[in-house]
Amino acid sequence: MTRVLVVDDEPQLIRALVINLKARKYEVDAAQDGAGALRLAAARPPDVVVLDLGLPDMDGADVIRGLRGWTRVPIIVLSARHSSDEKVQALDAGADDYVTKPFGMDELLARLRAAVRRAEPVTGPGEGAVVATDTFTVDLAAKKVRRDEADVRLTPTEWHLLEVLVRNRGRLVGQTQLLQEVWGPAYRTETNYLRVYMAQLRRKLEADPSRPRHFVTEPGMGYRFEP
Amino acid sequence: MTRVLVVDDEPQLIRALVINLKARKYEVDAAQDGAGALRLAAARPPDVVVLDLGLPDMDGADVIRGLRGWTRVPIIVLSARHSSDEKVQALDAGADDYVTKPFGMDELLARLRAAVRRAEPVTGPGEGAVVATDTFTVDLAAKKVRRDEADVRLTPTEWHLLEVLVRNRGRLVGQTQLLQEVWGPAYRTETNYLRVYMAQLRRKLEADPSRPRHFVTEPGMGYRFEP
DNA sequence: GTCAATCTTGGCGCCATCTTGACGGCCGGG
DNA sequence: CCCGGCCGTCAAGATGGCGCCAAGATTGAC
């Protein structure tokens, strides 16, 4: 699911955006000032940022630069100022788009889709998204798993689970987190599913499924993927 | 040097843009209608396109789609229409930005810089526009499919679908993405269409349509084109 | 106005996938 | 030593996605 970070100091506008975005199946985080936005963006990296320039605590351009220091996430700027100067400043600071208030929700959503669309392939046709072990390789962009020179067929659930583990490679991923990301918040206690699907993954990918070397169980806590 | 393709039917506006762009060390090509724009874009692939929607010979969205068929070059749309609908249509057709006339030259240049900047790391215009398999070849630029020494006739929808798949060759394309790109954002759940049109493509292009080797179904996730 | 091509819509059967429950082994604590 | 929690394994029933077919709508050409 695409995650949007909304930054604005007007609770009303935040409310309106959150409602509209959630109705369209976006995951939404919200912050009311620049410092909070930067903190939230680091904690839960968004796929696109909607940023109001008129924040109480920081200059808008500084927020943009704060993000651009470590991420290429698309930034759509909102502002009440029509001044050409302000637009140029924001865009040159690293923003991707500039929308003046008041704006049509349809238009903002369309610009948001455009921003997400063109950002997608940045991770895509490139390279680096391939993780390898001694027995198999995972291509996150192409959604492909190869083992012994042949493609391995994974079901959607299997793939989703593998994806979460690989994205956190080397780190322990808690059972709750796995269940929540793959099956949704309502399944946080169904540890049964994890057992069944971890077994599937191991059977399809491990050299010796009964003695897993890459999908490690951490009893009582969760699972870890070791490249 | 960055090459800009300017498309507009007003010679005055073209003159103004050409002067401003050349002064800033851009290389500039210009076309006065949609057909000329598509021809020129194919002959001398630009790094960014500035496109007026009010062209005499073609609908603006069709020009966008004509470009998007084979290239991901950033497209900045100019238009006198402020209608929200028109903006949404252009953006969803594949445009990256939408500027309403009259506009400040500073702003346009800033948006142009932003578009070029974020497109930078993407693969240059050297992508092969012809993709071949053992039974047929697809020429994205010429919009032609050859099989057994003869051209294959495809309907517009079939083309569009094939186009999206081929552009993402080797990678899995989600059902939602396919539906959204081919039929529009409102059809993201009509998986019926996919089944029908994938069957059409397979019937026309696969050696054995009932056992597809190039248009692979990934149940529950999407489809993949394998060259 | 007629006709053909294309797009939309619905239904049906099959099969992979998901869900769910049960069982046994391992391990640490009482 | 026994017991309870946790994990791995297996299998059967429920579910839902997919391919396929075919009949209306719709569009566009003549």
Side-chain angles (χ1 to χ4, degrees):
Chain A
M1 187 163 20
T2 306
R3 176 153 51 211
V4 186
L5 172 59
V6 177
V7 189
D8 203 307
D9 55 340
E10 299 171 48
Q12 285 188 335
L13 187 48
I14 290 215
R15 253 182 64 82
L17 282 172
V18 168
I19 289 172
N20 269 285
L21 289 170
K22 286 203 171 156
R24 286 165 180 81
K25 301 297 175 207
Y26 290 97
E27 190 177 347
V28 187
D29 288 342
Q32 304 215 15
D33 52 34
L38 292 176
R39 208 177 323 115
L40 202 47
R44 299 163 54 82
D47 300 301
V48 55
V49 177
V50 177
L51 171 68
D52 188 323
L53 280 197
L55 296 178
D57 62 335
M58 295 176 62
D59 182 30
D62 286 333
V63 181
I64 297 174
R65 278 187 282 269
L67 288 167
R68 278 290 171 266
W70 59 278
T71 176
R72 304 181 56 91
V73 61
I75 301 175
I76 300 177
V77 163
L78 301 181
S79 170
R81 321 287 285 287
H82 287 62
S83 124
S84 179
D85 216 25
E86 187 120 346
K87 297 185 190 179
V88 172
Q89 213 177 338
L91 290 168
D92 279 338
D96 289 272
D97 207 336
Y98 191 105
V99 181
T100 53
K101 295 198 271 191
F103 56 85
M105 186 57 70
D106 290 341
E107 181 188 341
L108 179 63
L109 290 170
R111 287 187 183 272
L112 197 131
R113 282 195 294 273
V116 172
R117 162 165 30 90
R118 77 181 152 238
E120 200 168 10
V122 169
T123 342
E127 53 307 320
V130 179
V131 180
T133 73
D134 49 359
T135 55
F136 61 91
T137 66
V138 181
D139 186 332
L140 289 173
K143 288 208 192 327
K144 257 188 175 175
V145 181
R146 292 191 71 92
R147 175 185 180 179
D148 302 334
E149 322 275 314
D151 288 348
V152 180
R153 254 188 69 61
L154 294 184
T155 72
T157 308
E158 288 162 7
W159 173 260
H160 204 166
L161 180 60
L162 176 65
E163 205 175 0
V164 176
L165 288 168
V166 171
R167 288 233 156 86
N168 294 283
R169 71 194 83 120
R171 278 185 307 217
L172 170 66
V173 187
Q175 307 181 346
T176 312
Q177 185 185 344
L178 280 173
L179 286 164
Q180 185 160 335
E181 292 214 31
V182 177
W183 282 271
Y187 293 73
R188 288 190 294 185
T189 57
E190 303 284 346
T191 57
N192 250 342
Y193 294 1
L194 280 184
R195 292 208 290 280
V196 172
Y197 277 90
M198 285 303 305
Q200 304 261 18
L201 279 183
R202 298 206 251 237
R203 195 175 320 138
K204 290 186 177 180
L205 298 178
E206 289 277 6
D208 181 356
S210 62
R211 312 245 311 257
R213 296 183 49 240
H214 301 105
F215 298 98
V216 187
T217 302
E218 302 279 358
M221 312 191 59
Y223 295 85
R224 178 204 312 276
F225 171 70
E226 294 280 4
Chain B
M1 187 160 24
T2 306
R3 175 154 51 209
V4 186
L5 171 59
V6 177
V7 189
D8 203 308
D9 56 341
E10 299 173 47
Q12 285 186 335
L13 186 49
I14 290 216
R15 253 182 66 82
L17 282 171
V18 168
I19 289 172
N20 269 284
L21 289 169
K22 285 201 171 158
R24 285 166 181 80
K25 302 298 176 206
Y26 290 99
E27 188 177 348
V28 188
D29 289 340
Q32 305 215 16
D33 52 32
L38 292 176
R39 210 178 322 117
L40 202 46
R44 300 163 53 81
D47 299 301
V48 55
V49 177
V50 177
L51 171 68
D52 188 321
L53 279 196
L55 297 177
D57 64 331
M58 294 176 63
D59 181 31
D62 286 333
V63 182
I64 297 174
R65 280 187 279 268
L67 288 167
R68 278 288 169 266
W70 59 278
T71 177
R72 309 188 67 85
V73 61
I75 301 175
I76 300 176
V77 163
L78 301 180
S79 169
R81 319 287 285 286
H82 286 63
S83 126
S84 178
D85 217 26
E86 187 119 346
K87 297 185 189 177
V88 172
Q89 217 176 339
L91 289 167
D92 279 335
D96 289 271
D97 207 336
Y98 190 104
V99 180
T100 52
K101 294 198 270 192
F103 56 87
M105 185 58 69
D106 291 340
E107 179 186 344
L108 178 63
L109 290 171
R111 288 186 182 272
L112 197 130
R113 283 194 293 274
V116 172
R117 161 166 31 90
R118 75 181 154 240
E120 227 161 37
V122 182
T123 13
E127 310 176 45
V130 179
V131 180
T133 73
D134 49 359
T135 56
F136 62 91
T137 66
V138 181
D139 187 332
L140 289 174
K143 286 203 188 309
K144 271 192 173 179
V145 182
R146 292 190 70 87
R147 176 185 179 176
D148 302 334
E149 323 277 317
D151 286 351
V152 180
R153 209 183 132 52
L154 295 183
T155 72
T157 307
E158 287 164 6
W159 242 115
H160 207 340
L161 180 60
L162 177 65
E163 219 171 276
V164 176
L165 287 168
V166 170
R167 228 185 303 141
N168 293 285
R169 72 197 83 126
R171 294 167 46 196
L172 173 66
V173 187
Q175 314 180 350
T176 312
Q177 185 185 343
L178 281 172
L179 287 164
Q180 184 161 331
E181 292 211 30
V182 177
W183 282 271
Y187 293 73
R188 288 192 294 186
T189 57
E190 303 285 345
T191 57
N192 259 351
Y193 295 2
L194 282 183
R195 293 209 290 278
V196 173
Y197 277 89
M198 285 303 304
Q200 304 262 19
L201 279 183
R202 297 206 251 240
R203 197 174 317 136
K204 289 186 177 180
L205 298 178
E206 289 277 5
D208 180 356
S210 64
R211 309 182 39 140
R213 295 183 49 242
H214 302 104
F215 298 97
V216 185
T217 302
E218 301 280 359
M221 301 196 284
Y223 295 85
R224 181 201 310 275
F225 171 69
E226 295 276 12

